[in-house]
Amino acid sequence: MASAPEHRRDQRVGVPLDDRGRPCPRAALGRRYGHSLHFWELDSGRHLQRVDLGDENQMVLELRPAHDPEATWGFANTVVNVEDLSASVWLWNREGEDFVVHKVITIPARPAQAEDLPPALQPFGAAPPMITDIDLSVDDQWLYVSAWGTGELYQYDVSDPFHPRQTASVRLGGIVGRQPHPAEPDVLLTGGAQMVEISRDGRRVYLTNSLYAAWDAQFYPAGIDPWMVKLDADTSHGGLSVDSRFFPHGSDFLGLRVHQTRLQGGDASSDSYCYRR
């Protein structure tokens, strides 16, 4: 995948960079990031299939296979559609010898005044949701989708993975209309819902707000004050509420950015089960 002349490429991760070494939004808008899913047979290392999601759907970022070792389906996301700034979640499933992929969730961009947007987004008059993480509960019933650009975390019932049903959402931070944490309602949060982790019982959901320093600076140019939140999830009927008692932030992280969360004893994304018959 060749980069445009004004960009160089980070050889470690194959990401187009600008002249200052930052991942470049123009590269995404120029359709220079990945937009395909690849399937391999692990026993032999043989590449089985490539499924192209369309080059308008940039950055296939996260993969969440079903935890059920008998299942042949899972979810992936794309960060941004360059035609309308929406973001999407896709379901893959095996049918016979082939894998098929369907778009099952679309989250639209949020209209905004240009003066409220960072320079990279001002020409578009909207804040893209930018799905930067998804997480699937251990029982494969609940899918959580974080929209880092708008600050929203969505909960979907995926007991029928072909037809996800939104059951709840919360909003914290965001590029525009920044939302506070209930523990400090007068303080508007910086950054947005980003990395998401689920406890093994599915009842606790944790969020952090930093994606990657170079992207943080471009989409949140005023800076990101680190925070971590806990949400209580209703695993019977669906629902999310912010735990006002849990809000490490700012000086709790000694100036560091916060990204991935891991839970002692295991969590939904650590516990992926594989076995041989």
Side-chain angles (χ1 to χ4, degrees), residues 36-78:
S36 299
L37 283 176
H38 293 261
F39 299 89
W40 277 267
E41 182 180 72
L42 295 184
D43 284 351
S44 65
R46 181 168 60 98
H47 183 266
L48 299 178
Q49 191 176 344
R50 172 183 178 269
V51 179
D52 193 333
L53 306 184
D55 68 355
E56 71 276 15
N57 295 302
Q58 289 287 294
M59 299 180 70
V60 183
L61 193 59
E62 301 288 352
L63 299 174
R64 297 290 179 253
H67 294 83
D68 178 357
E70 299 283 357
T72 59
W73 58 266
F75 294 101
N77 75 284
T78 56

Side-chain angles (χ1 to χ4, degrees), residues 118-136:
L121 296 176
Q122 287 177 357
F124 305 99
M130 298 180 69
I131 296 176
T132 53
D133 197 21
I134 58 176
D135 207 8
L136 182 63

Side-chain angles (χ1 to χ4, degrees), residues 253-271:
F253 294 106
L254 300 176
L256 301 175
R257 298 174 192 271
V258 289
H259 185 74
Q260 187 69 55
T261 303
R262 286 288 178 258
L263 305 183
Q264 185 175 6
D267 49 60
S269 57
S270 298
D271 294 348

Side-chain angles (χ1 to χ4, degrees), residues 25 61 76 84 136 138 162 171 182 184 210 221 230 269:
L61 193 59
D84 60 11
L136 182 63
V138 175
F162 291 89
R171 191 170 173 213
E184 296 188 9
S210 173
K230 170 181 170 283
S269 57

